[in-house]
Structure formats: structure tokens, C-alpha cells
Amino acid sequence: VQFDRPVSLNNLPAELVRQGYEVPRCLIRTQMGQGRSPQVEIIDDGVGEEADVPNAAAISPDGNLSVTSFFLSGNVGFKNLTTYEEVGGAYVGTNPTDVDILPSGTHALVTVYGDNQVVAVNLTTFQVDYTVPVGLEPVSAAIAPDGSRAIVMNSGDSSASIIELTGWTVEQTITSPEINSGIFTLSWNTIGRFRYEFSEVLILDDNQTAVAGTGPSVAFIDLVSGNVNDVAIHDGTAKDLAVTRDGNVLACGASNYSGTNDINLYDLT
């Protein structure tokens, strides 16, 4: 059996279930490329934290609430950071990935990989207030510091969607060779659990420039003009991004399959 993208099946034959998992719902993925034969990987898609994959988390501006996306169940969970108790949850769709929170603290923006959309979850009612269709297989998002717009990176069609956050509409879609599809990887970790990794995107304090890890490079994206400037990293795949508090230096963590890990520093002045 071969699949070219992740799928979810019910009532899977028991002999296909990965050893140690005894639930009928599984995620199946085919690994291809680099001269290897296709391999089918199966993972438990049950209910609860033990059977799910927490993928991304964000903390509200007041520091009182955390929001976590769970890739397999399609849920986001909310935890009070004073009592450390769960205070709510919401189903947002098929395979949510990244989470970011508006500076106002009113909504969490969640990319929903399997449904090609982002949703805005109300942080008071814990319900989905807005749904915005974007490109294929969105994996990461960032909100401008002034809360005016967001950028969503779509791994399936190598595009970026710019969302205007007053009307919750896509104001432009940017497609460029510099925005490639190498921004989402799935692999087994050292303890046999499935993990989902996606390169980060952030928006600088000018509220106009987005920086995205796009495989072997870092892309600087003008959110108004749509222009993309690509800067190669030293080695490997761009992962986490961070900017110094004075806004002058960008740090990019890079890793590759040979085990080399680097931090690339970029002068933003």
C-alpha cells in the first residue's frame, strides 16, 4: 500500500498496526526519496495526550493562558498557567500545526494542515470565531507585532498567504521559488514516538517584513509588495528563528541529517 501524503484510516487490519498500538485509527505516511524504497509508517491516532502529538504552543500576552495544538486529534487545548489546570479545548480541524496569539490576547491563530485553512479561536469562549482558507497544507504562521496582519506558510504549494486581521481575509498570496516545500518534516524520535517539525516564521518589529525558514535558506518577505529575498544558510535546514531584543540580529538554527547543527547569525541593520 502506498500513499503520497498523510491519510487517516478507520478499522485498519490488525496486522498493519504498529507493534504496541492496539487502536483502529492510524496515521499512515510513505517516506520516499534519496534512493530509498517507499516505507509505510503507522502511528496511533487515539484520544488523549499519550496517543496524540502536541505540535506547537503559545502563551497569551498576559501570561495566564497557554494554547497547544494536537496534530492527530485536531484539537487545541487551553491551560491556566496559574493553576496549571485544563480550562477548555476546541476541535479546529484535520492536523493543526502552528499556534500564534494576537497581541490583544483575544484570539489564537491556528494553522490547520489537513484542511488548507487557518482558524481563529476565541480565548474567552474557546470557540472558533473565524475560518480563513489559505494555500495547500499550511504549517506555520506569525502575527505582526501591531496585530494588523499575519503570514501563513503553505508547504503544499510553496506559497505564503497574507491575512488582514480586521476582516479576517487573505489580502494576497505570494508564490516564489524561494518559498519552497521543504518546511515540514515528519520523523520518529529516539524513543519511538512520531514527531512533526516545521520551520518557523516571524514578523519583525517594522510590521512589514517576515522572516521564514524555507528549507536550505531563510526568506525575507515584504508583506506589502510581496517581494521575496532569499538568503542561503550555512548548512542544513533552517529551523528555529529568533531576533535580539534590539532588533539588530537574527539567529537561525540549522540542522541536517549528517548530525551537523549550526546557528547562523544575520545583521538586520
Side-chain angles (χ1 to χ4, degrees):
V1 180
Q2 295 185 11
F3 302 91
D4 60 3
R5 59 184 295 174
V7 296
S8 182
L9 300 181
N10 292 317
N11 301 319
L12 200 68
E15 62 269 19
L16 290 183
V17 178
R18 185 176 177 86
Q19 185 176 3
Y21 295 95
E22 298 179 353
V23 294
R25 298 185 60 222
C26 298
L27 178 80
I28 299 180
R29 172 180 177 265
T30 299
Q31 286 191 332
M32 304 185 70
Q34 300 192 5
R36 295 179 300 173
S37 299
Q39 298 177 354
V40 175
E41 297 181 352
I42 303 172
I43 180 173
D44 175 0
D45 189 19
V47 179
E49 292 189 8
E50 285 300 317
D52 208 340
V53 178
N55 205 51
I59 296 176
S60 61
D62 62 11
N64 293 329
L65 187 73
S66 69
V67 183
T68 304
S69 65
F70 293 91
F71 189 89
L72 297 180
S73 67
N75 295 321
V76 291
F78 307 94
K79 180 172 288 188
N80 183 306
L81 295 181
T82 300
T83 63
Y84 295 101
E85 295 180 350
E86 299 288 342
V87 293
Y91 178 78
V92 296
T94 307
N95 304 140
T97 48
D98 202 10
V99 179
D100 201 0
I101 296 178
L102 270 68
S104 63
T106 59
H107 291 85
L109 184 71
V110 184
T111 54
V112 186
Y113 175 86
D115 295 335
N116 305 320
Q117 63 188 21
V118 299
V119 300
V121 183
N122 188 302
L123 296 186
T124 300
T125 65
F126 305 131
Q127 295 180 347
V128 174
D129 281 352
Y130 306 100
T131 300
V132 184
V134 291
L136 271 180
E137 298 170 350
V139 292
S140 55
I143 297 172
D146 65 0
S148 60
R149 55 169 56 93
I151 183 171
V152 178
M153 304 301 293
N154 307 305
S155 67
D157 57 10
S158 300
S159 70
S161 301
I162 311 303
I163 300 175
E164 190 275 312
L165 294 181
T166 301
W168 292 94
T169 58
V170 174
E171 59 182 12
Q172 68 171 313
T173 299
I174 302 170
T175 302
S176 169
E178 285 80 15
I179 303 175
N180 64 49
S181 59
I183 54 179
F184 187 42
T185 58
L186 301 89
S187 60
W188 288 100
N189 64 21
T190 56
I191 60 171
R193 300 292 294 176
F194 217 50
R195 71 182 177 192
Y196 302 81
E197 300 176 351
F198 51 90
S199 295
E200 194 171 2
V201 60
L202 54 82
I203 298 177
L204 302 181
D205 286 342
D206 64 2
N207 297 298
Q208 182 173 331
T209 306
V211 184
T214 57
S217 62
V218 175
F220 292 81
I221 304 169
D222 189 306
L223 302 183
V224 176
S225 69
N227 293 332
V228 181
N229 295 312
D230 183 45
V231 179
I233 65 174
H234 174 66
D235 187 24
T237 300
K239 295 289 185 181
D240 292 336
L241 301 171
V243 177
T244 55
R245 293 185 178 181
D246 60 10
N248 292 334
V249 178
L250 169 72
C252 171
S255 62
N256 59 39
Y257 291 108
S258 67
T260 302
N261 297 284
D262 297 308
I263 296 178
N264 296 263
L265 301 178
Y266 300 91
D267 187 343
L268 298 178
T269 60

